[in-house]
């Protein structure tokens, strides 16, 4: 049974009881509701766990012999930074001790020792003799038995799932085998040796063996009573610590949670992160399930109420998070609200835009990590595939995705696997590796991989402020009579202030207008169109403003101005301006850029829409 992460793209902490967001006048309505915290499934999630990290390589490993990170025949330069031998709250930055200090608020104290060794035989010998990972691991650990005392790594007894006592049981608790290289410098022998890229949450599934002169046993399987994990550096690339440590944290996460159904969705962070995720910062579902935080939970979405001045501090460093039941959804279906301010080195909600921070929404569809995925603030859309292009990662072709019109409930965001068809044949849902740029119509390809972020997935004051049934994305997934949502009202010193709507979403400001397009019509006039907002108080008594900016070769030649004198009631506008005069005379390469703003009958305004551009082409 493999639990491997196959591919990855690249002050004192305070207890959650003291760090939950303070609500002005709403404490009673939002009292913490504790989900039964079952802790770690196959390993403890509290107390001190001492782990042996073994950095290992084959004697015939010739890959990058002079690597500045892990030279051949020598330990990695980061060996002693892996884990702290003695626990302190001020752990070695980036270490396993540091990571779990931050994620657990010092509830799980990871300590240990790191050693380096070379296997007794070469890859050629193991392949020729039909030996696989379990045998190689046993032979290597038995070799270490001459110099390593395993007694410090026997402190816990597991009698079943979620049942762990802090007493020795003569079984080694946790060994992490960290492999330098399997096949970068030779033929691909990974499957032959059962050393698959990424890792696997066991030591090889062979017979148990003893160490310390028979005093202790090492179990090689996964689950209750097991003794460790395997981590293999991926094919290609230098031998830095970031990816191999991330693999190790991931595989250890399977011991805390369970099997492959705990991998997060594409584009979604988590300890047990799935393929194509921006980072392994734990999400609120995971931390809540292990009992490391207690989310503020709103289970009752039937009563009508508006909760104002709700403050949400940084999620990673304070543990503050909200769970709001999805109206009409299943018993374990929640929206998770996390404020990511990137204070922690482990907080990477967006892999491509370092400045991207704000309120992120996750959808928990069930009580497993694999049912947790990001709800991108950019919205849900219909997609088509007009072309294919060569697979940049291997053989075959990959789809080129073209974003269509908004589809607030049933569409897909760029941070999801998207269903598609080719020649009328349904294909397996795929991540976006190629896409048509909506402005230039050029085909773009990874990297950067937009399913790990492009700076538009967070809710904030300018990108997307409102999450309601009328917004894109919509909060109303099941056409429920109950309606929930929120509006960001302020962000100060990293704290997000919200208004939460429970069956009062009509009080919200309008959502961001969608599907804006601009095209030349008669002569140099330009017609701009957009989709009408869903809010009733925009459709009746409200309207729209339209704003224009002129650019030449990406430089502004006419600053942004509102072009309509009175509020527009329709969802189209023809701009008959004298563009030559506005642009300061005749010239080429002039582009008009338009954005739309919705206004409701109370005068509340939306954020600006995404831009639509139109080439004017003024005569010289």
């Amino acid at each position: 049974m493999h639990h491997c992460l196959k591919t990855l793209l690249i002050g004192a902490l305070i207890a959650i009881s003291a760090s939950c967001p303070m609500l002005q006048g709403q404490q009673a309505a939002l009292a913490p509701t504790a989900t039964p915290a079952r802790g770690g499934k196959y390993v403890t999630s509290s107390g001190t766990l001492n782990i042996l990290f073994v950095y290992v390589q084959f004697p015939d490993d010739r890959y990058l012999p002079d690597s500045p990170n892990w030279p051949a025949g020598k330990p990695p330069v980061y060996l002693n930074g892996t884990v702290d031998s003695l626990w302190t709250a001020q752990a070695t930055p980036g270490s396993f001790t540091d990571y779990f200090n931050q994620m657990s608020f010092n509830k799980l104290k990871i300590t240990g020792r790191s050693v380096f060794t070379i296997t007794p035989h070469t890859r050629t010998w193991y392949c020729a003799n039909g030996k696989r990972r379990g045998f190689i691991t046993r032979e290597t650990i038995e070799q270490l038995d001459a110099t390593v005392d395993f007694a410090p790594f026997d402190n816990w007894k597991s009698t079943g799932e979620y049942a762990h006592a802090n007493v020795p049981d003569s079984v080694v608790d946790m060994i992490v085998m960290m492999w330098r290289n399997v096949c970068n410098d030779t033929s691909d022998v990974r499957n032959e040796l059962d050393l698959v890229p990424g890792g696997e949450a066991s030591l090889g599934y062979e017979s148990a063996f003893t160490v310390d002169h028979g005093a202790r046993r090492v179990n090689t399987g996964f689950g209750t009573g097991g003794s460790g994990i395997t981590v293999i550096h991926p094919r290609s690339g230098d031998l830095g610590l970031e990816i191999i440590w991330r693999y190790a944290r991931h595989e250890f996460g399977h011991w805390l949670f369970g099997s492959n159904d705990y991998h997060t969705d594409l584009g979604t962070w988590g300890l047990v992160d799935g393929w194509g995720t921006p980072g392994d910062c734990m999400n609120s579902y995971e931390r809540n399930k292990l009992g490391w935080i207690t989310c503020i939970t709103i289970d009752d979405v039937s009563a009508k109420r508006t909760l104002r001045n709700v403050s949400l501090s940084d999620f990673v460093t304070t543990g503050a998070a909200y769970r709001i039941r999805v109206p009409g959804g299943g018993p374990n279906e929640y929206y998770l609200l996390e404020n990511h301010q990137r204070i922690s080195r482990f907080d990477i909600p967006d892999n491509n835009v370092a400045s991207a921070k704000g309120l992120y929404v996750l959808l928990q569809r069930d009580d497993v990590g694999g049912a947790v995925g990001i709800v991108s603030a950019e919205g849900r859309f219909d997609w088509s595939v007009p072309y294919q292009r060569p697979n940049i990662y291997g053989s075959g072709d990959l789809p080129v995705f073209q974003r269509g019109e908004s589809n607030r409930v049933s569409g897909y965001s760029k941070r999801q696997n998207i269903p598609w068809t080719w020649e009328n044949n349904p294909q397996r849902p795929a991540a976006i590796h190629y896409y048509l740029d909506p402005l230039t119509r050029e085909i773009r390809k990874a990297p950067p991989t937009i399913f790990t972020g492009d700076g538009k997935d967070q809710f904030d004051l300018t990108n997307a402020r409102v999450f309601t049934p009328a917004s894109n994305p919509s909060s109303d997934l099941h056409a429920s009579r109950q309606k929930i949502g929120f509006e960001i009202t302020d962000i100060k010193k990293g704290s997000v202030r919200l208004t939460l709507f429970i069956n009062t979403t009509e009080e919200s400001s309008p959502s961001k207008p969608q599907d804006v397009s601009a095209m030349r019509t008669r002569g140099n006039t330009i017609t701009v169109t957009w989709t009408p907002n869903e809010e009733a108080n925009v459709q009746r008594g409200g309207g729209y403003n339209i704003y224009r900016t002129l650019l030449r070769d990406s430089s502004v030649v006419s600053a942004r101005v509102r072009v309509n004198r009175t509020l527009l009631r329709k969802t189209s506008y023809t701009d008959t301006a004298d563009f030559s005069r506005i642009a300061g005379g005749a010239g080429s390469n002039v582009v008009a850029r338009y954005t739309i703003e919705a206004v409701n009958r109370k005068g509340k305004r939306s954020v600006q829409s995404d831009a639509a551009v139109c080439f004017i082409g003024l005569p010289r």
Side-chain angles (χ1 to χ4, degrees):
M1 172 169 42
H2 286 289
H3 309 283
C4 61
L5 181 58
K6 295 182 178 178
T7 307
L8 277 169
L9 301 173
I10 327 278
L13 298 175
I14 54 178
I16 183 63
S17 59
S19 63
C20 288
M22 297 302 296
L23 312 180
Q24 297 181 8
Q26 302 296 342
Q27 288 91 338
L30 285 180
T33 301
T35 297
R38 296 184 292 178
K41 189 171 186 178
Y42 300 124
V43 70
T44 184
S45 64
S46 62
T48 301
L49 180 65
N50 206 42
I51 298 176
L52 177 62
F53 291 85
V54 180
Y55 287 93
V56 59
Q57 68 179 82
F58 294 105
D60 56 342
D61 181 353
R62 301 291 181 265
Y63 180 63
L64 296 178
D66 300 318
S67 166
N69 293 306
W70 189 349
K74 298 179 181 179
V77 297
Y78 43 82
L79 176 80
N80 294 327
T82 305
V83 65
D84 292 352
S85 58
L86 297 175
W87 185 87
T88 67
Q90 289 73 42
T92 299
S95 67
F96 279 78
T97 309
D98 184 30
Y99 179 88
F100 286 100
N101 278 3
Q102 291 193 40
M103 295 301 127
S104 75
F105 297 99
N106 301 335
K107 292 180 180 179
L108 178 60
K109 301 175 175 66
I110 299 292
T111 57
R113 176 184 175 187
S114 299
V115 299
F116 168 72
T117 191
I118 297 175
T119 61
H121 295 94
T122 66
R123 284 168 294 187
T124 302
W125 186 92
Y126 290 121
C127 289
N129 288 276
K131 304 302 183 182
R132 291 167 63 80
R133 176 166 57 106
F135 176 89
I136 303 169
T137 299
R138 173 176 180 167
E139 192 177 52
T140 303
I141 292 175
E142 287 178 338
Q143 176 179 265
L144 285 170
D145 194 20
T147 57
V148 173
D149 179 9
F150 287 85
F153 307 102
D154 174 17
N155 300 292
W156 289 88
K157 179 179 181 179
S158 295
T159 57
E161 296 179 2
Y162 310 104
H164 315 293
N166 196 185
V167 294
D169 63 351
S170 299
V171 176
V172 176
D173 296 328
M174 184 63 57
I175 301 171
V176 181
M177 301 294 291
M178 312 272 270
W179 286 90
R180 180 185 189 273
N181 165 49
V182 178
C183 68
N184 282 300
D185 57 333
T186 185
S187 59
D188 193 346
V189 294
R190 291 174 296 177
N191 288 329
E192 194 172 350
L193 297 176
D194 189 30
L195 287 167
V196 295
E200 205 273 336
S202 81
L203 294 175
Y205 297 103
E206 292 201 2
S207 299
F209 57 93
T210 62
V211 291
D212 288 348
H213 304 290
R216 280 165 198 86
R217 189 172 71 252
V218 175
N219 292 333
T220 65
F222 170 69
T224 302
S227 295
I229 64 178
T230 307
V231 180
I232 302 102
H233 197 280
R235 192 166 190 176
S236 76
D238 203 356
L239 301 160
L241 62 86
E242 288 296 338
I243 196 164
I244 196 168
W245 284 9
R246 185 172 169 187
Y247 284 162
R249 292 192 293 258
H250 172 104
E251 298 304 337
F252 179 71
H254 281 297
W255 286 83
L256 287 168
F257 292 105
S259 298
N260 290 337
D261 53 351
Y262 281 90
H263 288 152
T264 57
D265 275 357
L266 179 81
T268 306
W269 51 90
L271 175 59
V272 192
D273 50 337
W275 181 87
T277 59
D280 62 347
C281 167
M282 292 183 70
N283 59 58
S284 53
Y285 166 79
E286 293 175 330
R287 297 171 93 185
N288 188 77
K289 190 168 183 66
L290 293 176
W292 293 347
I293 68 171
T294 299
C295 293
I296 302 296
T297 300
I298 302 177
D299 266 323
D300 179 11
V301 292
S302 61
K304 183 176 181 179
R305 60 202 189 276
T306 301
L307 309 177
R308 304 184 189 280
N309 295 319
V310 174
S311 180
L312 190 58
S313 54
D314 177 68
F315 165 66
V316 176
T317 58
T318 73
Y322 285 81
R323 297 193 315 160
I324 304 176
R325 182 170 296 281
V326 177
N332 296 309
E333 193 167 356
Y334 290 92
Y335 288 119
L336 309 175
L337 276 57
E338 303 176 3
N339 174 17
H340 288 262
Q341 291 296 314
R342 307 183 82 141
I343 298 170
S344 166
R345 67 186 297 149
F346 302 111
D347 189 7
I348 308 175
D350 189 309
N351 202 45
N352 301 306
V353 181
S355 60
K357 54 188 177 182
L359 181 65
Y360 287 82
V361 176
L362 304 180
L363 173 63
Q364 174 194 324
R365 301 182 301 278
D366 206 348
D367 188 26
V368 289
V372 176
I374 185 172
V375 180
S376 172
E378 190 171 14
R380 302 183 181 103
F381 300 88
D382 292 325
W383 298 82
S384 60
V385 175
Y387 317 107
Q388 293 195 71
R389 287 293 183 270
N391 187 348
I392 56 180
Y393 304 106
S395 60
D397 293 324
L398 291 173
V400 177
F401 283 98
Q402 178 177 359
R403 199 180 88 176
E405 292 188 348
S406 58
N407 186 335
R408 297 174 300 109
V409 174
S410 302
Y412 292 83
S413 81
K414 65 183 182 305
R415 289 183 77 153
Q416 293 179 283
N417 284 305
I418 300 173
W420 60 288
T421 61
W422 186 252
E423 296 179 344
N424 297 320
N425 295 314
Q427 307 292 314
R428 184 178 179 179
I432 300 176
H433 296 285
Y434 288 97
Y435 63 97
L436 280 179
D437 187 297
L439 297 181
T440 67
R441 311 302 297 170
E442 296 175 325
I443 295 177
R444 307 289 187 187
K445 70 176 181 179
T449 48
I450 65 171
F451 49 82
T452 61
D454 65 354
K456 300 178 182 178
D457 303 303
Q458 72 278 5
F459 289 85
D460 55 29
L461 292 171
T462 58
N463 183 56
R465 194 171 65 233
V466 167
F467 181 55
T468 64
S471 66
N472 184 27
S474 172
S475 63
D476 186 15
L477 297 180
H478 303 289
S480 173
R481 289 182 299 175
Q482 299 165 342
K483 310 294 183 183
I484 62 96
F486 66 74
E487 179 175 356
I488 295 178
T489 57
D490 198 11
I491 301 177
K492 285 185 178 179
K493 297 181 179 179
S495 182
V496 175
R497 192 167 295 277
L498 306 168
T499 298
L500 297 178
F501 304 105
I502 314 296
N503 298 305
T504 57
T505 55
E506 68 277 1
E507 297 178 11
S508 168
S509 296
S511 57
K512 184 178 183 176
Q514 299 290 307
D515 306 320
V516 184
S517 65
M519 62 183 301
R520 290 175 59 181
T521 47
R522 301 178 304 276
N524 261 353
T525 63
I526 297 175
T527 297
V528 184
T529 61
W530 58 96
T531 300
N533 275 45
E534 293 284 331
E535 293 91 351
N537 56 16
V538 173
Q539 295 179 354
R540 295 186 293 276
Y544 305 92
N545 290 317
I546 182 169
Y547 296 86
R548 179 191 64 220
T549 306
L550 295 186
L551 305 100
R552 180 185 291 116
D553 298 327
S554 300
S555 298
V556 174
V557 294
S558 176
R560 177 176 173 267
V561 294
R562 192 179 83 173
V563 297
N564 56 300
R565 293 184 177 180
T566 60
L567 204 60
L568 301 173
R569 307 296 180 179
K570 296 182 179 180
T571 56
S572 67
Y573 180 85
T574 300
D575 191 357
T576 60
D578 184 346
F579 296 111
S580 179
R581 178 186 59 79
I582 296 172
S588 59
N589 301 325
V590 176
V591 170
R593 180 182 185 274
Y594 295 92
T595 59
I596 307 299
E597 171 189 78
V599 184
N600 68 18
R601 61 172 169 258
K602 293 183 178 180
K604 293 184 177 181
R605 300 168 182 265
S606 73
V607 299
Q608 294 291 306
S609 71
D610 292 339
V613 299
C614 184
F615 176 67
I616 299 172
L618 298 177
R620 289 189 179 276

